[in-house]
C-alpha cells in the first residue's frame, strides 16, 4: 500500500477521529449503543487512516494528499 493521506488531510482526520471516539464513549454512557457503535467505528476508521497513511476511498478516487504528490505536479 502506497501512502495517499498526508498534510492537512491527515491532521483533520486525526482530530475528527478522536472527536468521534470521544462522542462514541459519551453515547455509550447515555445508553445510545447504536449511535455509539456507528461513531466508534467511524472514528477508529479515520484514526486507522492517519496511522497507516492510506485511505481506500482516496485510492479508488485517485486522490493523493501527500506532500510528495503535490511537489511532483
Amino acid at each position: 500500500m502506497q501512502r495517499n493521506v498526508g498534510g492537512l488531510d491527515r491532521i483533520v482526520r486525526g482530530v475528527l477521529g478522536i472527536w468521534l471516539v470521544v462522542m462514541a464513549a459519551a453515547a455509550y454512557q447515555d445508553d445510545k449503543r447504536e449511535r455509539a457503535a456507528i461513531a466508534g467505528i467511524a472514528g477508529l476508521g479515520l484514526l486507522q487512516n492517519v496511522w497507516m497513511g492510506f485511505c481506500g476511498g482516496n485510492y479508488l478516487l485517485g486522490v493523493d494528499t501527500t506532500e510528495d504528490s503535490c511537489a511532483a505536479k
Side-chain angles (χ1 to χ4, degrees):
M1 287 186 306
Q2 184 175 351
R3 292 182 180 262
N4 63 4
V5 177
L8 183 61
D9 184 22
R10 198 169 189 177
I11 294 168
V12 170
R13 287 172 192 254
V15 170
L16 187 58
I18 291 169
W19 181 76
L20 282 170
V21 169
V22 169
M23 290 295 102
Y28 185 79
Q29 287 181 344
D30 288 342
D31 262 351
K32 297 178 180 175
R33 297 185 193 277
E34 183 177 338
R35 187 173 296 171
I38 292 168
I41 291 168
L44 290 175
L46 286 173
L47 292 174
Q48 183 266 338
N49 288 161
V50 171
W51 182 56
M52 298 294 290
F54 178 80
C55 175
N58 280 5
Y59 177 75
L60 290 175
L61 295 173
V63 176
D64 190 347
T65 59
T66 58
E67 290 81 16
D68 294 337
S69 68
C70 295
K73 291 183 180 178

